[in-house]
Amino acid sequence: MLVAAAVCPCPPLLVPEVAAGAAPELDAARDACTDALGVLAAARPGRLVVVGPMDGAGPETYPEGTAGSFRGFGVDLDVRLGAAEGVGTEQRLPYALAVAAWLLERTGWADAPVEGLGVGESYPPGQCARTGRDIAARDERVALLVMGDASACRTLKAPGYLDERAAPFDGEVARALGAADVAALSTLDTGLAHELKVSGRAPWQVLAGAADGADLGGSLLYEDAPYGVGYVVAAWS
């Protein structure tokens, strides 16, 4: 059963070493992520599943101890998912899960075993819901750390340029995540999410499936678009 969830954005810029001189611009987002992970720890889960976007359809599982790196951004920084080491796999964490691993290391996560799940942009809503329900059924007390960004079209300098539909879409996402509105997340427009370059759609719909029937309440901790990309932080418990 799902007992808690944290929703965080997944830009590598969240890692100060990657952001370099621009690091202070995301301090508020980092602090909100820390608060959201605190909600997970307080729920005392028996298992933590990190869900985030990946290239390809997925789903792809990543056992505890899977390594990731930010070397692709010119930073000599490696991370590992959870506390385990030497899992004997050549898998590498996708960047969204590497950011999650960094957040967990930053907050000293040691409250439950961790595993990762990557889901791609084309992963259908129905499959997302089934995957979420399967995750929630794995343990009596499951927590989710859900990574993903909202639209990348909020300003002229955004990666997807300015799209007037982006702000209303992001506003509804922030409302739904802050209110733990499972129905609204389950019915997000997949076509519009694709056009607005939303990386969080599938992970959020996995969360919606996992939370179905759990009767969790939500809290919106952060919502902004400092680089023309929507970043949302929320906590459910």
Side-chain angles (χ1 to χ4, degrees):
M1 178 180 177
L2 186 71
V3 295
V7 178
C8 296
C10 59
L13 287 172
L14 207 60
V15 179
E17 291 88 340
V18 175
E25 296 177 16
L26 287 180
D27 278 347
R30 294 184 193 98
D31 291 344
C33 290
T34 298
D35 292 342
L37 265 65
V39 172
L40 297 187
R44 303 183 66 178
R47 178 193 304 261
L48 174 64
V49 180
V50 182
V51 183
M54 59 171 286
D55 293 333
E60 185 76 31
T61 58
Y62 300 87
E64 186 166 29
T66 303
S69 171
F70 295 98
R71 296 174 189 270
F73 297 92
V75 176
D76 186 14
L77 177 63
D78 298 320
V79 292
R80 192 175 296 277
L81 187 64
E85 296 185 11
V87 295
T89 177
E90 295 183 358
Q91 280 183 302
R92 304 291 287 181
L93 295 172
Y95 283 121
L97 296 190
V99 172
W102 176 81
L103 285 172
L104 291 169
E105 289 183 7
R106 179 176 184 255
T107 55
W109 179 269
D111 299 270
V114 183
E115 60 189 84
L117 178 72
V119 287
E121 181 190 12
S122 62
Y123 202 51
Q127 285 290 95
C128 290
R130 283 190 287 274
T131 297
R133 288 193 293 270
D134 289 345
I135 290 172
R138 291 181 193 172
D139 196 285
E140 290 184 358
R141 300 186 65 80
V142 177
L144 287 182
L145 172 54
V146 183
M147 310 298 293
D149 299 338
S151 72
C153 305
R154 292 278 292 273
T155 66
L156 292 174
K157 294 184 178 181
Y161 197 66
L162 176 64
D163 191 313
E164 298 295 342
R165 301 171 297 175
F169 182 93
D170 288 0
E172 172 57 15
V173 164
R175 186 207 63 78
L177 290 173
D181 189 337
V182 169
L185 294 173
S186 299
T187 55
L188 287 174
D189 187 326
T190 57
L192 180 57
H194 171 73
E195 292 174 10
L196 296 177
K197 302 184 184 302
V198 176
S199 71
R201 191 275 306 170
W204 299 332
Q205 291 186 325
V206 171
L207 167 61
D212 189 22
D215 195 28
L216 300 181
S219 177
L220 182 65
L221 304 180
Y222 176 89
E223 193 277 323
D224 202 356
Y227 302 108
V229 180
Y231 299 149
V232 179
V233 181
W236 295 16
S237 62

